Amino acid sequence: KQEVTQIPAALSVPEGENLVLNCSFTDSAIYNLQWFRQDPGKGLTSLLLIQSSQREQTSGRLNASLDKSSGRSTLYIAASQPGDSATYLCAVSVRSNTGKLIFGQGTTLQVKP
Amino acid sequence: DGGITQSPKYLFRKEGQNVTLSCEQNLNHDAMYWYRQDPGQGLRLIYYSQIVNDFQKGDIAEGYSVSREKKESFPLTVTSAQKNPTAFYLCASRMQAGLAGQETQYFGPGTRLLVL
């Protein structure tokens, strides 16, 4: 059974720091891995989607990597800003035609001015 | 303005009562999903539907029911059999275009269900 784990559960950093969020999964037979952002009491917003054949994706100050063999993904945030404060969730898609996602518990990030 | 809407934003349930959460999308997406989120936990899949008039149980379907009579709508009913319904409920949709590896899911703003 696929399990997704995110460490740490919470992170607090001063503004301007570069930071890395971690995601690990137990079954390497995935079709894609996605990173989402969730603001308090809101829905999820997709940040990056990495297909199983890819190693990384970039969008602005965000860079996500995928290592299927080790069951790991990282989300790198460069030059963090207070507006980056949110919960970040990773999820893996494990079946080809259903789109079912298995989510990690999330990392809650606080960027202090 | 395309997107997914969920209503109501807050819902209160009395013991023994069934309540229905609404989810509507105008993205012309084929697949729709219902997730439950508890504090400190990730999202867990309740039900999903890949096509009108068809739906499948997710990991935690007990105490819930759904229908998919229209492509745009996927309502979730929380029945009295669900003994711990207090949670944040999120609806999502996805374009059913080939393999899941190519399409992300788009989420609604959520409904918070509380038990009186």
Side-chain angles (χ1 to χ4, degrees):
Chain A
K1 180 183 177 183
Q2 179 72 269
E3 293 183 0
V4 180
T5 303
Q6 291 185 247
I7 295 173
L11 183 63
S12 180
V13 300
E15 181 177 5
E17 269 203 9
N18 301 324
L19 58 100
V20 174
L21 306 182
N22 297 295
C23 174
S24 61
F25 47 96
T26 55
D27 187 345
S28 62
I30 65 171
Y31 285 91
N32 67 43
L33 184 143
Q34 299 179 49
W35 283 93
F36 293 89
R37 169 183 172 141
Q38 184 178 32
D39 292 297
K42 306 291 186 182
L44 277 63
T45 301
S46 179
L47 297 173
L48 292 163
L49 182 151
I50 310 176
Q51 297 181 27
S52 61
S53 59
Q54 298 175 322
R55 296 283 293 183
E56 66 178 343
Q57 282 285 345
T58 298
S59 176
R61 294 183 294 109
L62 305 179
N63 176 277
S65 67
L66 174 64
D67 184 344
K68 277 180 35 177
S69 61
S70 65
R72 293 180 181 179
S73 175
T74 61
L75 178 66
Y76 175 83
I77 303 177
S80 59
Q81 303 170 358
D84 295 329
S85 298
T87 296
Y88 292 82
L89 295 134
C90 73
V92 298
S93 177
V94 297
R95 296 180 69 174
S96 63
N97 63 350
T98 66
K100 289 175 62 177
L101 295 176
I102 307 298
F103 281 85
Q105 306 95 319
T107 293
T108 299
L109 172 65
Q110 182 184 33
V111 181
K112 297 180 178 178
Chain B
D1 194 17
I4 302 175
T5 57
Q6 291 186 242
S7 62
K9 186 173 182 179
Y10 296 95
L11 186 58
F12 298 91
R13 192 191 92 163
K14 296 179 181 178
E15 194 164 339
Q17 184 183 41
N18 293 351
V19 293
T20 298
L21 285 62
S22 169
C23 177
E24 303 277 334
Q25 54 98 1
N26 60 5
L27 301 168
N28 199 33
H29 284 174
D30 299 298
M32 297 186 74
Y33 307 82
W34 273 107
Y35 294 92
R36 169 179 172 142
Q37 187 177 32
D38 294 283
Q41 298 190 33
L43 280 65
R44 292 181 291 168
L45 183 64
I46 304 173
Y47 268 99
Y48 65 101
S49 169
Q50 295 179 264
I51 195 170
V52 174
N53 292 323
D54 186 58
F55 49 82
Q56 306 295 329
K57 292 182 179 180
D59 299 319
I60 55 165
E62 185 175 352
Y64 300 97
S65 66
V66 293
S67 63
R68 186 85 186 277
E69 298 177 0
K70 298 186 300 182
K71 187 175 185 178
E72 303 81 14
S73 179
F74 191 40
L76 173 74
T77 297
V78 183
T79 74
S80 57
Q82 173 50 246
K83 298 307 179 186
N84 185 24
T86 297
F88 190 50
Y89 291 86
L90 289 158
C91 178
S93 70
R94 181 178 74 90
M95 177 70 74
Q96 191 83 341
L99 294 178
Q102 298 162 3
E103 297 289 344
T104 191
Q105 290 188 17
Y106 295 84
F107 282 79
T111 292
R112 189 165 299 278
L113 176 60
L114 300 167
V115 177
L116 294 177

